[in-house]
């Protein structure tokens, strides 16, 4: 179904149906945009009836990063059984579903093809609606899951999307209505964590490994740059910070680094990230004075130091702060299912004709 203008009255009626669970009925959701294969079933009111995530960390760890071909093959092997088990846990059959949703972009094209094709095939075979979902929109709307944020997450609000592939500040003004306020001009912050983790020899993925060992270090031990801090706007740059760590490591004796040295470098790197994040979000909130809520999503949102600093910034602007639980920060199918419910309620969604897209900016969405 292509995008069509929808009246405010129809949108309001649709949202009321979502709240009462009368509109969408159960939705099966599939996520396969990177290296997690995930499925979930949500009731029409947003209750999670079942969810499962299969990680591919073991498949990619020895390569120090995600190998797209391996990821796609793993999705292909895992999806049939994972979907069947998720439906079983929900106590439902395919015939009981109102719709099937799948991430169709952005992400690794192989995984997107596998997940979206699987979902479309199920929808065609069972005569169900198919809803193509933008992965970034799913992260941006996760906070609107009923009961997740005290007081709810009413539009508009500011979303900070930080992960291995994305780093941007987005004004979330409604379903399908987004304004990018700023983003990275080079690496994503998750990519920077991974590269620094590799430099320090703490393993992959770098985010949780660096956060863990940083607790043992001194965040002021090593002088590192704070790229873009203090500049106008809310763009990010992480390449220089990563390079600075590489230069520090290159000056040290060859071989495995002492644990104390690794801890200090990790703590200093993380502190630089925390300070830059706080500064950029401070500027973003100033650019969006009507925002009374700051939402952070994506895998890096699980970092406790980053969360704490962002909450402080939000309070300074008179805004609330919301970060989903860790399981909903990383890639998952619950957020895909919820976004499908939001779009079904609004009457604006892409159906079977939507192609998998490795690049799909939020600004190109309709709503």
């Amino acid at each position: 179904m292509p995008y069509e203008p929808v009246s405010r009255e129809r949108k309001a009626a649709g949202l009321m149906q979502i709240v009462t669970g009368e509109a969408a009925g159960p939705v099966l959701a599939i996520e396969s945009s990177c290296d997690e294969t995930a499925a979930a079933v949500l009731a029409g009111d947003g209750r999670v009836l079942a969810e499962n995530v299969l990680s591919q960390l073991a498949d990619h760890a020895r390569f120090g990063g995600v190998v797209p071909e391996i990821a796609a093959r793993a999705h292909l092997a895992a999806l049939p059984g994972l979907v069947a088990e998720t439906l079983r846990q929900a106590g439902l059959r395919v015939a009981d579903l109102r719709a099937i949703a799948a991430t169709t972009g952005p992400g690794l094209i192989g995984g997107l093809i596998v997940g979206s094709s699987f979902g479309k095939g199920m929808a065609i075979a069972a005569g169900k609606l198919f809803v193509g979902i933008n992965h970034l929109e799913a992260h941006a709307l996760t906070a609107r899951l009923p009961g997740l944020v005290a007081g709810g997450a009413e539009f508009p609000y500011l979303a900070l999307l930080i992960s291995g592939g994305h780093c941007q500040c987005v004004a979330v003004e409604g379903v399908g209505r987004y304004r990018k306020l700023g983003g990275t001009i080079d690496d994503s912050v998750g990519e920077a964590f991974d590269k620094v983790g590799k430099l320090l020899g703490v393993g992959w993925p770098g985010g949780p490994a660096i956060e863990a060992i940083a607790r043992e270090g001194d965040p002021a031990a090593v002088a590192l740059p704070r790229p873009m801090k203090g500049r106008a706007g809310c763009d990010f740059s992480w390449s220089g910070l990563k390079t600075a760590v590489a230069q520090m490591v290159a000056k040290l004796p060859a071989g495995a680094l002492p644990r104390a040295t690794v801890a200090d470098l990790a703590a200093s790197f993380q502190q630089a990230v925390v300070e830059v994040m706080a500064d950029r979000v401070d500027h973003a909130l100033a650019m969006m004075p009507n925002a009374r809520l700051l939402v952070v999503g994506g895998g890096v949102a699980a970092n406790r130091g980053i969360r704490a600093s962002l909450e402080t910034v939000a309070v300074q602007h008179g805004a609330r702060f919301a970060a989903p639980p860790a399981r909903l920060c990383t890639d998952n199918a619950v957020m895909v299912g919820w976004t499908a419910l939001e779009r079904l309620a609004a009457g604006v969604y892409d159906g079977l004709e939507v192609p998998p897209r490795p690049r799909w900016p939020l600004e190109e969405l309709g709503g």
Side-chain angles (χ1 to χ4, degrees), residues 53-328:
V53 179
L54 292 181
S55 172
Q56 298 177 13
L57 283 181
D59 297 326
H60 302 283
R62 65 192 177 99
F63 300 103
V66 178
V67 181
E69 178 65 19
I70 292 176
R73 289 178 180 273
H75 291 310
L76 187 62
L79 261 178
L82 187 70
V83 166
E85 174 60 17
T86 304
L87 284 169
R88 186 194 67 77
Q89 292 173 1
L92 297 173
R93 303 167 301 163
V94 176
D96 299 322
L97 301 172
R98 162 83 190 287
I100 296 170
T103 302
T104 52
L108 300 178
I109 188 62
L112 294 171
I113 290 173
V114 170
S116 62
S117 297
F118 188 89
K120 288 177 180 180
M122 285 188 68
I124 292 171
K128 303 296 179 181
L129 292 173
F130 176 80
V131 185
I133 297 298
N134 180 294
H135 181 85
L136 295 176
E137 182 176 39
H139 275 304
L141 295 180
T142 298
R144 288 173 53 80
L145 271 164
L148 197 63
V149 175
E154 297 297 322
F155 300 123
Y157 56 83
L158 174 67
L160 172 65
L161 306 179
I162 46 177
S163 68
H166 305 280
C167 184
Q168 54 187 286
C169 293
V170 178
V172 181
E173 298 173 335
V175 176
R177 295 169 50 208
Y178 308 99
R179 286 188 299 114
K180 183 178 176 181
L181 303 178
T184 182
I185 62 174
D186 42 55
D187 294 344
S188 70
V189 65
E191 183 181 357
F193 267 103
D194 284 342
K195 289 179 177 178
V196 170
K198 186 174 183 179
L199 286 168
L200 299 183
V202 298
W204 177 86
I210 286 176
E211 183 178 13
I213 197 166
R215 300 187 192 108
E216 304 174 23
D218 177 3
V222 182
L224 292 173
R226 269 60 171 166
M228 305 295 283
K229 183 179 179 182
R231 292 195 186 184
C234 57
D235 283 336
F236 300 84
S237 173
W238 302 107
S239 180
L241 177 57
K242 172 208 64 180
T243 300
V245 175
Q247 291 173 340
M248 292 283 184
V249 172
K251 295 176 183 178
L252 298 172
L257 299 176
R259 186 174 181 87
T261 300
V262 172
D264 283 346
L265 281 167
S268 298
F269 167 77
Q270 181 172 264
Q271 182 61 29
V273 171
V274 166
E275 291 182 19
V276 170
M277 280 287 182
D279 175 79
R280 302 289 77 196
V281 171
D282 178 59
H283 283 225
L285 284 168
M287 295 166 66
M288 193 181 175
N290 60 338
R292 290 295 173 262
L293 175 68
L294 166 63
V295 172
V296 59
V300 182
N303 184 287
R304 285 175 286 185
I306 292 175
R307 287 191 184 214
S309 69
L310 294 179
E311 185 169 12
T312 298
V313 172
V315 170
Q316 290 171 348
H317 283 265
R320 294 178 296 141
F321 173 78
R327 68 181 177 84
L328 296 180

